[in-house]
Coordinates of all heavy atoms in Angstrom, one line a residue:
A26 N 0.8 -1.2 0.0 CA 0.0 0.0 0.0 C 0.9 1.2 0.0 O 2.0 1.2 0.4 CB -0.9 0.0 1.2
M27 N 0.3 2.4 -0.4 CA 0.9 3.6 -0.5 C 0.0 4.7 0.0 O -1.2 4.8 -0.6 CB 1.5 3.9 -1.9 CG 2.1 5.3 -2.0 SD 2.8 5.6 -3.7 CE 4.3 4.8 -3.5
S28 N 0.4 5.6 0.9 CA -0.5 6.7 1.3 C -0.5 7.8 0.3 O 0.3 7.8 -0.6 CB 0.0 7.2 2.7 OG 1.3 7.8 2.5
G29 N -1.5 8.7 0.4 CA -1.6 9.8 -0.5 C -0.4 10.7 -0.3 O 0.3 10.7 0.7
I30 N -0.2 11.6 -1.4 CA 1.0 12.4 -1.4 C 1.0 13.4 -0.2 O 2.1 13.7 0.2 CB 1.1 13.2 -2.7 CG1 -0.1 14.1 -3.0 CG2 1.3 12.2 -3.9 CD1 0.1 15.0 -4.2
W31 N -0.1 13.9 0.2 CA -0.1 14.8 1.4 C 0.1 14.1 2.7 O 0.3 14.8 3.7 CB -1.4 15.6 1.4 CG -1.7 16.3 0.0 CD1 -2.8 16.1 -0.7 CD2 -0.8 17.2 -0.7 NE1 -2.7 16.9 -1.9 CE2 -1.5 17.5 -1.9 CE3 0.5 17.7 -0.4 CZ2 -0.9 18.4 -2.8 CZ3 1.0 18.5 -1.3 CH2 0.4 18.9 -2.5
S32 N 0.1 12.8 2.7 CA 0.5 12.0 3.8 C 1.9 11.4 3.7 O 2.3 10.6 4.4 CB -0.5 10.9 4.1 OG -1.8 11.4 4.4
G33 N 2.6 11.9 2.7 CA 4.0 11.5 2.5 C 4.3 10.5 1.5 O 5.4 10.2 1.2
G34 N 3.2 9.9 0.9 CA 3.4 8.8 -0.1 C 4.2 7.6 0.5 O 4.9 7.0 -0.3
R35 N 4.0 7.3 1.7 CA 4.8 6.3 2.4 C 4.2 4.9 2.0 O 3.0 4.7 1.8 CB 4.7 6.4 3.9 CG 5.4 7.7 4.3 CD 5.3 7.9 5.8 NE 6.0 9.2 6.2 CZ 6.0 9.6 7.4 NH1 5.4 9.0 8.4 NH2 6.6 10.8 7.7
T36 N 5.1 3.9 1.9 CA 4.7 2.6 1.4 C 4.9 1.6 2.6 O 5.6 1.7 3.5 CB 5.6 2.1 0.3 OG1 7.0 2.1 0.7 CG2 5.5 3.1 -0.9
S37 N 4.1 0.5 2.4 CA 4.2 -0.7 3.3 C 4.0 -1.9 2.5 O 3.3 -1.9 1.5 CB 3.2 -0.6 4.4 OG 1.8 -0.6 3.9
Y38 N 4.6 -3.0 3.0 CA 4.6 -4.3 2.3 C 4.4 -5.5 3.2 O 4.8 -5.4 4.4 CB 5.9 -4.5 1.6 CG 6.3 -3.5 0.5 CD1 7.0 -2.4 0.8 CD2 5.9 -3.7 -0.8 CE1 7.3 -1.4 -0.1 CE2 6.2 -2.7 -1.8 CZ 6.9 -1.6 -1.4 OH 7.2 -0.7 -2.4
A39 N 3.7 -6.5 2.7 CA 3.6 -7.8 3.4 C 5.0 -8.4 3.5 O 5.8 -8.2 2.6 CB 2.7 -8.7 2.7
D40 N 5.3 -9.1 4.6 CA 6.6 -9.7 4.8 C 7.0 -10.6 3.6 O 8.1 -10.8 3.2 CB 6.7 -10.4 6.1 CG 6.8 -9.5 7.3 OD1 7.1 -8.3 7.1 OD2 6.5 -9.9 8.4
S41 N 6.0 -11.3 3.1 CA 6.2 -12.3 2.0 C 6.7 -11.7 0.7 O 7.3 -12.4 -0.1 CB 4.9 -13.1 1.8 OG 3.9 -12.2 1.3
V42 N 6.5 -10.4 0.5 CA 6.9 -9.8 -0.7 C 8.0 -8.7 -0.6 O 8.5 -8.2 -1.5 CB 5.7 -9.2 -1.5 CG1 4.7 -10.3 -1.7 CG2 5.2 -8.0 -0.8
K43 N 8.3 -8.3 0.7 CA 9.2 -7.3 1.0 C 10.6 -7.6 0.3 O 11.1 -8.7 0.5 CB 9.4 -7.1 2.5 CG 10.2 -5.8 2.9 CD 10.1 -5.6 4.4 CE 10.9 -4.3 4.8 NZ 10.8 -4.1 6.2
G44 N 11.1 -6.6 -0.4 CA 12.4 -6.8 -1.0 C 12.3 -7.3 -2.4 O 13.3 -7.2 -3.2
R45 N 11.1 -7.8 -2.8 CA 10.9 -8.3 -4.2 C 9.9 -7.4 -5.0 O 10.0 -7.3 -6.2 CB 10.4 -9.7 -4.1 CG 11.4 -10.7 -3.5 CD 10.9 -12.2 -3.6 NE 9.6 -12.4 -3.0 CZ 8.5 -12.8 -3.6 NH1 8.5 -13.0 -4.9 NH2 7.4 -13.0 -2.9
F46 N 8.9 -6.9 -4.3 CA 7.9 -6.1 -4.9 C 8.0 -4.6 -4.6 O 8.5 -4.3 -3.5 CB 6.5 -6.5 -4.5 CG 6.0 -7.9 -4.9 CD1 6.9 -8.8 -5.5 CD2 4.7 -8.3 -4.8 CE1 6.5 -10.0 -6.0 CE2 4.3 -9.5 -5.2 CZ 5.1 -10.4 -5.8
T47 N 7.7 -3.8 -5.5 CA 7.7 -2.3 -5.3 C 6.4 -1.7 -5.8 O 6.0 -1.9 -6.9 CB 8.9 -1.7 -6.0 OG1 10.1 -2.3 -5.6 CG2 9.0 -0.2 -5.7
I48 N 5.8 -0.9 -4.9 CA 4.6 -0.2 -5.3 C 4.9 1.2 -5.6 O 5.8 1.8 -5.0 CB 3.5 -0.2 -4.1 CG1 2.2 0.4 -4.6 CG2 4.0 0.5 -2.9 CD1 1.1 0.2 -3.6
S49 N 4.3 1.8 -6.6 CA 4.6 3.2 -7.0 C 3.3 3.7 -7.7 O 2.4 3.0 -8.0 CB 5.8 3.2 -8.0 OG 5.5 2.5 -9.2
R50 N 3.3 5.1 -8.0 CA 2.2 5.7 -8.6 C 2.7 6.8 -9.5 O 3.6 7.5 -9.1 CB 1.2 6.1 -7.6 CG 1.7 7.2 -6.6 CD 0.8 7.2 -5.3 NE -0.5 7.7 -5.6 CZ -1.5 7.6 -4.7 NH1 -1.2 7.1 -3.5 NH2 -2.7 8.0 -5.0
D51 N 2.0 7.1 -10.6 CA 2.2 8.2 -11.5 C 1.0 9.0 -11.4 O -0.1 8.7 -12.0 CB 2.5 7.7 -12.9 CG 2.9 8.8 -13.8 OD1 2.5 10.0 -13.6 OD2 3.6 8.6 -14.8
N52 N 1.0 10.1 -10.6 CA -0.2 10.9 -10.4 C -0.7 11.6 -11.7 O -1.9 11.8 -11.9 CB 0.1 12.0 -9.3 CG 0.3 11.4 -8.0 OD1 -0.4 10.4 -7.6 ND2 1.3 11.8 -7.2
A53 N 0.2 12.0 -12.6 CA -0.2 12.6 -13.8 C -1.0 11.7 -14.7 O -1.8 12.1 -15.5 CB 1.1 13.1 -14.6
K54 N -0.7 10.4 -14.6 CA -1.5 9.4 -15.4 C -2.6 8.7 -14.6 O -3.3 7.8 -15.1 CB -0.5 8.3 -15.9 CG 0.6 8.8 -16.8 CD 1.5 7.7 -17.3 CE 2.5 8.2 -18.3 NZ 3.4 7.1 -18.7
N55 N -2.8 9.1 -13.3 CA -3.8 8.4 -12.4 C -3.6 6.9 -12.4 O -4.6 6.2 -12.5 CB -5.2 8.8 -12.9 CG -5.5 10.2 -12.6 OD1 -4.9 10.9 -11.7 ND2 -6.6 10.7 -13.2
T56 N -2.4 6.5 -12.4 CA -2.1 5.0 -12.5 C -1.1 4.6 -11.3 O -0.2 5.3 -11.0 CB -1.4 4.7 -13.8 OG1 -2.3 5.1 -14.9 CG2 -1.1 3.2 -13.9
M57 N -1.4 3.4 -10.8 CA -0.6 2.8 -9.7 C 0.0 1.6 -10.3 O -0.6 0.9 -11.2 CB -1.5 2.5 -8.5 CG -0.7 1.7 -7.4 SD -1.7 1.4 -6.0 CE -2.9 0.2 -6.7
Y58 N 1.2 1.2 -9.9 CA 2.0 0.1 -10.4 C 2.4 -0.8 -9.3 O 2.6 -0.4 -8.1 CB 3.2 0.5 -11.2 CG 2.9 1.5 -12.3 CD1 3.0 2.9 -12.1 CD2 2.5 1.0 -13.5 CE1 2.8 3.8 -13.1 CE2 2.3 1.9 -14.6 CZ 2.4 3.3 -14.4 OH 2.1 4.2 -15.4
L59 N 2.6 -2.1 -9.6 CA 3.2 -3.0 -8.7 C 4.3 -3.8 -9.5 O 4.0 -4.6 -10.4 CB 2.2 -4.0 -8.2 CG 2.8 -5.0 -7.2 CD1 3.2 -4.3 -5.9 CD2 1.8 -6.1 -6.8
Q60 N 5.6 -3.5 -9.3 CA 6.7 -4.1 -9.9 C 7.0 -5.4 -9.1 O 7.3 -5.3 -7.9 CB 7.9 -3.2 -10.0 CG 9.1 -3.9 -10.6 CD 8.9 -4.2 -12.1 OE1 8.4 -3.4 -12.9 NE2 9.3 -5.4 -12.5
M61 N 6.9 -6.5 -9.7 CA 7.2 -7.8 -9.1 C 8.4 -8.5 -9.6 O 8.5 -8.8 -10.8 CB 6.0 -8.7 -9.2 CG 4.6 -8.1 -8.8 SD 3.3 -9.3 -8.9 CE 3.2 -9.5 -10.7
N62 N 9.4 -8.7 -8.8 CA 10.7 -9.3 -9.2 C 10.9 -10.6 -8.4 O 10.3 -10.8 -7.4 CB 11.9 -8.4 -9.0 CG 11.8 -7.1 -9.8 OD1 11.3 -7.1 -10.9 ND2 12.3 -6.0 -9.2
S63 N 11.8 -11.4 -8.9 CA 12.1 -12.7 -8.3 C 10.8 -13.5 -7.9 O 10.7 -14.0 -6.8 CB 12.9 -12.5 -7.0 OG 14.1 -11.8 -7.4
L64 N 9.9 -13.6 -8.8 CA 8.7 -14.3 -8.6 C 8.8 -15.7 -8.2 O 9.7 -16.4 -8.7 CB 7.7 -14.1 -9.8 CG 7.1 -12.7 -10.0 CD1 6.6 -12.5 -11.4 CD2 6.0 -12.5 -8.9
K65 N 7.9 -16.2 -7.3 CA 7.9 -17.5 -6.9 C 6.5 -18.2 -7.2 O 5.6 -17.5 -7.4 CB 8.1 -17.6 -5.4 CG 9.3 -16.9 -4.9 CD 9.4 -16.8 -3.3 CE 10.6 -16.1 -2.8 NZ 10.6 -16.1 -1.3
P66 N 6.5 -19.5 -7.3 CA 5.2 -20.1 -7.6 C 4.1 -19.8 -6.6 O 2.9 -19.7 -6.9 CB 5.5 -21.6 -7.5 CG 6.9 -21.7 -7.9 CD 7.6 -20.5 -7.3
E67 N 4.5 -19.5 -5.3 CA 3.5 -19.1 -4.3 C 2.9 -17.7 -4.5 O 2.0 -17.3 -3.8 CB 4.1 -19.3 -2.9 CG 5.4 -18.6 -2.7 CD 6.6 -19.5 -2.8 OE1 6.6 -20.3 -3.7 OE2 7.5 -19.4 -1.9
D68 N 3.5 -17.0 -5.4 CA 3.0 -15.7 -5.8 C 1.8 -15.8 -6.7 O 1.1 -14.8 -7.0 CB 4.0 -14.8 -6.4 CG 5.1 -14.4 -5.5 OD1 4.8 -14.1 -4.3 OD2 6.3 -14.4 -5.9
T69 N 1.5 -17.0 -7.2 CA 0.4 -17.2 -8.1 C -0.9 -16.8 -7.5 O -1.2 -17.3 -6.4 CB 0.3 -18.6 -8.6 OG1 1.5 -18.9 -9.4 CG2 -0.9 -18.9 -9.5
A70 N -1.7 -15.9 -8.1 CA -2.9 -15.4 -7.5 C -3.6 -14.4 -8.4 O -3.0 -13.9 -9.4 CB -2.6 -14.7 -6.2
V71 N -4.8 -14.1 -8.1 CA -5.5 -12.9 -8.8 C -5.1 -11.7 -8.0 O -5.3 -11.7 -6.8 CB -7.0 -13.1 -8.8 CG1 -7.7 -11.9 -9.4 CG2 -7.4 -14.3 -9.6

């Protein structure tokens, strides 16, 4: 998750993905992203 920009845009992660996933947002495009690296079979999900 990521807080709004007026709350600092701070991020938090589940322990299972910390260090592998990165959340970000492009406010000009009204778009949020989740970059997933070093994927594991247990990451399979909707």
Side-chain angles (χ1 to χ4, degrees):
M27 174 177 281
S28 65
I30 59 172
W31 307 124
S32 293
R35 298 176 179 178
T36 60
S37 61
Y38 298 90
D40 288 340
S41 60
V42 306
K43 189 174 183 179
R45 299 188 298 119
F46 290 12
T47 303
I48 187 173
S49 63
R50 64 201 294 171
D51 186 333
N52 293 317
K54 296 181 179 180
N55 288 341
T56 301
M57 177 179 64
Y58 304 96
L59 183 68
Q60 178 65 46
M61 306 183 293
N62 298 326
S63 301
L64 284 163
K65 306 174 181 179
E67 53 262 43
D68 293 319
T69 296
V71 176

